[in-house]
Each structure stands twice: as structure tokens, then as C-alpha cells.
């Protein structure tokens, strides 16, 4: 073993230890509680009980998917505009994107709840204009809005990172050859930005599906996601086995999602141009 390799291993040792303690060990406990009963004996009882929560699981995936698509639709043109702007404008827009992330997610969600309440700021303004109130809180729409509001920076940042590296010579060449803006977007910008789309999709979809605080505050008792059920099993019901089983299934779903998205990205592939 040469000196360089030994130095790298010494430097990486604290990170490996951290990963073992806070990632590997908790996963072992999740698997253990999922496959045992309250007495610690091997059992598939709680794995079988997961079927009772199939509708909630599907609803969580559906709402997370909608929130992710909305985030992509909003973030894509914004990231493109940022990438094509001057450096000063890019810095300003980046600061505006990052600014909400400097606040805790709990504070951001609670602030949004105050806006959407039946007696909140929005409805109070509508009533002042002699307009009818709108039912916004405790709905699927409010939960989706909370997901988009809290996680859209995670869609903007990878898209901007990819688009800022695009070779503008390709765009100029396409325009010189007669391609209109839509053709440039469809045949050059979109294919080259697929890695950013895949990364952003994963970074928004994964926390959206597994969230529980957003759905609790903005959905009330009318919208329950799988994260709410897991939290209830650990916090209220003290049913660690069922909570772990649900967590295990959710983890597998997230791994499948990440595996699918990773097919669009690779270390040596920055996208391609459609002919």
C-alpha cells in the first residue's frame, strides 16, 4: 500500500464511520423490526399487513408525482433563464432561490398554512374585496402546494447546474442552420439537460412521497400520506414492527425510483443531441 492510498483511507475513515453508525445500523434495525414480531421472533405478519395501506401508499406516490411534475414545469424555464443571464443576474436569482432554504422547513410550512387557512391572509383579502372565500387548507391541493414550495429549489439547482455548462456554440450553430427556438429547445437543450431533470426529479419526488409534516399541517385529517402512517406507528401506537415494515417498503420504492432515474444519468454522459 502506497502512502497516497493510506492517506486517502485515513481521510475517508471518519465518513465511513459516520455512514456505518447513522445509515447502516438504522437500516439493520428497520429490517430486523420488519421481519420480527413484538416478541422478537421471526414473522412476516407485519409485511402482510402493509396491504391494508395500499391506497395510502398509492395516494402518496400520486401526490408526490404531481408535485414533482409541477416543480419541473416551473423550474425548467427558470433554470434556463438563469443559465442564459449575465453573471450578476445569475447570482441574484440564485440568492432568491436559496433564500427560502435558509429557513427551517417547519417554519416555511407553518407560514404557508397561515396563508391558506379559512381565516388566513388570502381569504381575508378576498373577503375585504367582497369576494367569496376559497377552501384551500386541508385539501390535496394544499399538500401539493406545500411540497412544491418546499422542494422546488432541489429541482432548480441541478437543472441550472447542467444548463450553465451547455455549449452555447451548439445552440448558435442550430440557429444559424435555421432552427427556431422551439426546435433548439426540443432537439438540443432538452436532451442535454436530461441528467439535470433526472436528478431534480429524484430530489423532489423522494422527500415528497415520504413527507409527513407537510401533509399534517396542510392536509389536516383529510389527507394522510404514508409518512403520516409511519410516524403514527412509531410515535402514537408504539408499533415499531409495522412502522419498520412500512418504512422498508417505502425505502424499496424510493430505491426503484432512484434506479430508474439513474438510467438517464452517468458519470461519462452529459446528454446527447437529437437528430
Amino acid at each position: 500500500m502506497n502512502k497516497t492510498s493510506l492517506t486517502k483511507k485515513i481521510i475517508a475513515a471518519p465518513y465511513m464511520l459516520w455512514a456505518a453508525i447513522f445509515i447502516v445500523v438504522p437500516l439493520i434495525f428497520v429490517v430486523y423490526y420488519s421481519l420480527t414480531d413484538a416478541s422478537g421472533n421471526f414473522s412476516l405478519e407485519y409485511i402482510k399487513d402493509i396491504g391494508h395501506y395500499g391506497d395510502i401508499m398509492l395516494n402518496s406516490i400520486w401526490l408526490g408525482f404531481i408535485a414533482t411534475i409541477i416543480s419541473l414545469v416551473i423550474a425548467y424555464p427558470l433554470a434556463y433563464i438563469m443559465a442564459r443571464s449575465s453573471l450578476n443576474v445569475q447570482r441574484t436569482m440564485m440568492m432568491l432561490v436559496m433564500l427560502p432554504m435558509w429557513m427551517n422547513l417547519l417554519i416555511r410550512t407553518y407560514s404557508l398554512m397561515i396563508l391558506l387557512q379559512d381565516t388566513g391572509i388570502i381569504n381575508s383579502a378576498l373577503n375585504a374585496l367582497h369576494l367569496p372565500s376559497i377552501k384551500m387548507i386541508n385539501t390535496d391541493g394544499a399538500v401539493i402546494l406545500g411540497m412544491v414550495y418546499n422542494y422546488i429549489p432541489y429541482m432548480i439547482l441541478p437543472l441550472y447546474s447542467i444548463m450553465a455548462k451547455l455549449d452555447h456554440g451548439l445552440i448558435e450553430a442550430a440557429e444559424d442552420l435555421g432552427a427556431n427556438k422551439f426546435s433548439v429547445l426540443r432537439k438540443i437543450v432538452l436532451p442535454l439537460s436530461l441528467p439535470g431533470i433526472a436528478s431534480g426529479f429524484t430530489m423532489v419526488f423522494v422527500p415528497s412521497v415520504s413527507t409527513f409534516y407537510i401533509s399534517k399541517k396542510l392536509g389536516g385529517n383529510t389527507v394522510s400520506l404514508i409518512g403520516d402512517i409511519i410516524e403514527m406507528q412509531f410515535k402514537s401506537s408504539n408499533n415499531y414492527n409495522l412502522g419498520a415494515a412500512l418504512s422498508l417498503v417505502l425505502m424499496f420504492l424510493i430505491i426503484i425510483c432512484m434506479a430508474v432515474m439513474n438510467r438517464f444519468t452517468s458519470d461519462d454522459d452529459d446528454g446527447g443531441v437529437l437528430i
Side-chain angles (χ1 to χ4, degrees):
M1 181 184 299
N2 56 46
K3 185 176 181 180
T4 303
S5 300
L6 179 61
T7 302
K8 290 181 179 179
K9 290 186 176 182
I10 293 175
I11 294 175
Y15 301 98
M16 298 298 293
L17 180 62
W18 182 91
I21 295 176
F22 296 103
I23 298 178
V24 177
V25 173
L27 287 178
I28 292 174
F29 276 109
V30 168
V31 175
Y32 170 76
Y33 279 107
S34 299
L35 302 178
T36 56
D37 56 20
S39 302
N41 301 317
F42 176 79
S43 174
L44 296 178
E45 174 186 354
Y46 296 101
I47 297 294
K48 296 176 181 178
D49 288 343
I50 293 174
H52 299 151
Y53 302 95
D55 292 341
I56 296 177
M57 183 77 73
L58 291 176
N59 188 51
S60 302
I61 295 173
W62 175 241
L63 295 184
F65 179 76
I66 294 176
T68 305
I69 294 300
I70 294 175
S71 298
L72 177 60
V73 171
I74 297 174
Y76 197 91
L78 179 59
Y80 183 74
I81 293 172
M82 288 175 60
R84 297 296 298 269
S85 302
S86 63
L87 288 178
N88 289 333
V89 174
Q90 288 185 36
R91 294 191 186 100
T92 302
M93 296 182 71
M94 180 61 68
M95 183 189 68
L96 294 175
V97 170
M98 297 292 294
L99 190 60
M101 299 178 66
W102 295 349
M103 294 184 295
N104 189 276
L105 181 141
L106 308 184
I107 298 176
R108 298 198 304 267
T109 304
Y110 194 81
S111 300
L112 194 59
M113 182 181 69
I114 294 175
L115 288 174
L116 301 179
Q117 281 179 338
D118 295 336
T119 57
I121 296 175
I122 296 178
N123 278 322
S124 297
L126 291 174
N127 294 333
L129 296 173
H130 303 289
L131 296 174
S133 300
I134 301 175
K135 178 63 176 179
M136 294 176 287
I137 200 71
N138 299 336
T139 62
D140 287 351
V143 175
I144 292 173
L145 177 60
M147 293 175 180
V148 173
Y149 173 66
N150 281 293
Y151 301 132
I152 194 171
Y154 301 116
M155 181 69 76
I156 296 174
L157 295 179
L159 284 172
Y160 166 74
S161 177
I162 291 293
M163 291 182 179
K165 300 176 183 178
L166 292 181
D167 185 359
H168 293 290
L170 292 173
I171 298 176
E172 294 174 357
E175 292 174 344
D176 291 341
L177 292 173
N180 56 35
K181 293 186 180 298
F182 178 76
S183 296
V184 170
L185 177 64
R186 182 171 62 89
K187 294 187 176 182
I188 297 178
V189 178
L190 183 59
L192 291 175
S193 60
L194 281 179
I197 294 175
S199 298
F201 193 98
T202 302
M203 294 175 68
V204 174
F205 181 74
V206 169
S208 295
V209 171
S210 57
T211 187
F212 61 91
Y213 185 80
I214 294 175
S215 55
K216 179 184 295 184
K217 291 299 181 182
L218 301 180
N221 296 324
T222 60
V223 181
S224 293
L225 303 184
I226 192 62
D228 299 306
I229 304 300
I230 293 174
E231 185 210 18
M232 182 179 68
Q233 301 304 321
F234 283 108
K235 189 175 181 180
S236 302
S237 303
N238 292 324
N239 192 344
Y240 296 159
N241 300 91
L242 180 57
L246 291 169
S247 301
L248 185 64
V249 172
L250 181 61
M251 181 178 65
F252 277 119
L253 289 175
I254 291 173
I255 291 174
I256 291 173
C257 171
M258 295 178 65
V260 172
M261 289 298 103
N262 284 339
R263 291 182 63 87
F264 294 96
T265 61
S266 62
D267 294 336
D268 56 352
D269 183 14
D270 294 326
V273 179
L274 295 180
I275 303 299

